[in-house]
């Protein structure tokens, strides 16, 4: 018998432990600690009260995170521990998140699923999701180019320029709201192009870009390896990354459920 409770029923350290266990053996296994989970909750607006934990015989066996922004929501991770998989827990959690979304007046629920994860993709289609577009995770190796072509500006200035230039919607993890939530975002600008990025460690995270991307990317890779999360396959920046020798690490389907 599965019992569902708010994610608030566990403290953050317990949720982080469950998150790691629920992704054991996944296509891209990862470990997350309390600090990293706190960062995810803040930056991606994950709502612990709306998120759900699945319990079986009193023990947590699965979790589903829901991010909330106005009339939009985002599935920020759904996982089930190995011993409880293939028993309907994931579907039960997803349906519970949809109910929470409806109660909060959400009209659209977004998610991404790795292209090779055919089981999850089939479940999401069963639940009414449709594929909106394919997105890719890129990695551009660090390199010493000529002198930087772009100059530093404030993140706010760069983001304002990006809003003027871009033609498509940013995915949740790189949306304007996410950029604002990051306290360490920085900006680059050159002629008719701009970028917003952050560098929390040795690697650079490119958050947003618009306009000709190649000079921005050449400037950024002087700082370290550049990662770009969920870039649409038809984004002009994808061609610039390819021409500079970047590789696609993961391909995902971005999916949408209209409530």
């Amino acid at each position: 018998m599965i019992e569902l409770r708010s994610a608030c029923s566990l403290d953050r350290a317990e949720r982080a432990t469950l998150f790691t266990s629920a992704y054991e053996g996944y296509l891209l296994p990862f470990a997350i600690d309390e600090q990293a989970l706190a960062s995810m909750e803040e930056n991606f607006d994950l709502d612990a009260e709306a998120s759900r934990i699945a319990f079986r015989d009193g023990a947590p066996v699965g979790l589903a995170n829901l991010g909330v922004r106005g009339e939009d929501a985002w599935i920020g991770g759904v996982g089930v521990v190995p011993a409880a998989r293939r028993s309907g827990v994931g579907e039960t959690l997803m349906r519970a998140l949809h109910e929470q979304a409806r109660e909060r007046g959400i009209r659209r629920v977004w998610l991404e699923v790795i292209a090779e994860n055919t089981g999850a993709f089939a479940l999401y289609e069963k639940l009414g999701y449709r594929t909106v577009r394919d997105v890719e995770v890129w990695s551009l190796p660090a390199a010493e180019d000529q002198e930087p072509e772009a100059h530093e500006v404030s993140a706010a200035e760069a983001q304002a320029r990006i809003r003027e230039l871009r033609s498509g919607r940013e995915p949740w993890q790189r949306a304007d709201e996410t950029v604002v939530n990051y306290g360490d975002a920085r900006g680059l600008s050159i002629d008719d192009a701009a970028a917003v990025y952050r560098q929390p460690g040795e690697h650079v995270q490119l958050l947003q870009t618009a306009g000709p991307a190649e000079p921005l990317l050449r400037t950024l890779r002087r700082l370290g390896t550049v990662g770009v999360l969920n870039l649409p396959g038809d984004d002009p920046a994808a061609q610039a990354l390819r021409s500079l020798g970047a590789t696609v690490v993961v391909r995902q389907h971005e999916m949408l459920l209209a409530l």
Side-chain angles (χ1 to χ4, degrees):
M1 180 68 178
I2 296 297
E3 177 190 0
L4 298 183
R5 305 176 195 167
S6 165
C8 294
S9 61
L10 298 181
D11 64 33
R12 186 175 285 133
E14 292 170 325
R15 296 201 301 274
T17 299
L18 176 59
F19 209 141
T20 299
S21 297
Y23 274 74
E24 181 182 335
Y26 186 57
L27 287 167
L28 290 178
F30 71 95
I32 189 170
D33 59 19
E34 183 177 0
Q35 182 178 356
L37 181 57
S39 178
M40 285 181 60
E41 290 177 345
E42 178 180 357
N43 296 326
F44 304 144
D45 294 310
L46 300 184
D47 186 333
E49 184 61 41
S51 301
R52 284 295 176 263
I53 304 289
F55 291 81
R56 187 170 66 186
D57 299 327
V61 296
L63 83 166
N65 298 312
L66 189 70
V68 176
R69 291 172 177 164
E71 294 184 336
D72 288 272
W74 175 67
I75 307 298
V78 177
V80 178
V81 301
R85 290 173 186 166
R86 298 178 180 84
S87 61
V89 176
E91 180 174 347
T92 299
L93 283 165
M94 287 294 295
R95 292 187 184 279
L97 288 193
H98 297 162
E99 184 58 34
Q100 291 298 312
R102 290 187 182 93
E103 290 181 6
R104 287 162 172 76
I106 299 297
R107 298 183 61 186
R108 295 168 294 273
V109 183
W110 302 85
L111 62 78
E112 300 89 30
V113 58
I114 294 175
E116 291 81 4
N117 193 352
T118 55
F121 181 76
L123 170 61
Y124 300 146
E125 286 196 317
K126 174 184 175 182
L127 292 171
Y129 286 83
R130 63 175 179 86
T131 300
V132 176
R133 59 186 177 179
D134 286 343
V135 294
E136 299 166 329
V137 178
W138 286 84
S139 179
L140 175 65
E144 287 290 339
D145 282 308
Q146 65 268 28
E147 287 302 306
E149 300 176 54
H151 60 275
E152 290 273 350
V153 296
S154 70
E157 180 180 341
Q159 196 174 18
R161 183 64 175 142
I162 289 168
R163 281 195 289 266
E164 294 175 357
L165 294 171
R166 70 182 171 204
S167 57
R169 174 185 49 81
E170 305 284 3
W172 191 279
Q173 290 157 292
R174 296 191 295 102
D176 291 347
E177 295 90 341
T178 300
V179 173
V180 170
N181 287 341
Y182 282 125
D184 58 355
R186 302 161 68 178
L188 282 180
S189 180
I190 180 172
D191 299 330
D192 55 348
V196 176
Y197 73 98
R198 59 191 297 263
Q199 190 172 16
E202 294 182 358
H203 292 73
V204 178
Q205 297 176 8
L206 177 56
L207 300 174
Q208 294 182 357
T209 185
E214 194 162 323
L216 298 165
L217 292 166
R218 284 198 294 262
T219 299
L220 285 175
R221 72 178 180 179
R222 291 174 57 88
L223 304 176
T225 298
V226 181
V228 190
L229 185 63
N230 293 341
L231 187 70
D234 60 355
D235 192 297
Q239 180 56 45
L241 284 160
R242 191 173 290 107
S243 69
L244 291 173
T247 56
V248 174
V249 180
V250 176
R251 287 186 172 87
Q252 301 198 97
H253 305 304
E254 185 183 49
M255 306 185 77
L256 169 65
L257 174 67
L259 295 179

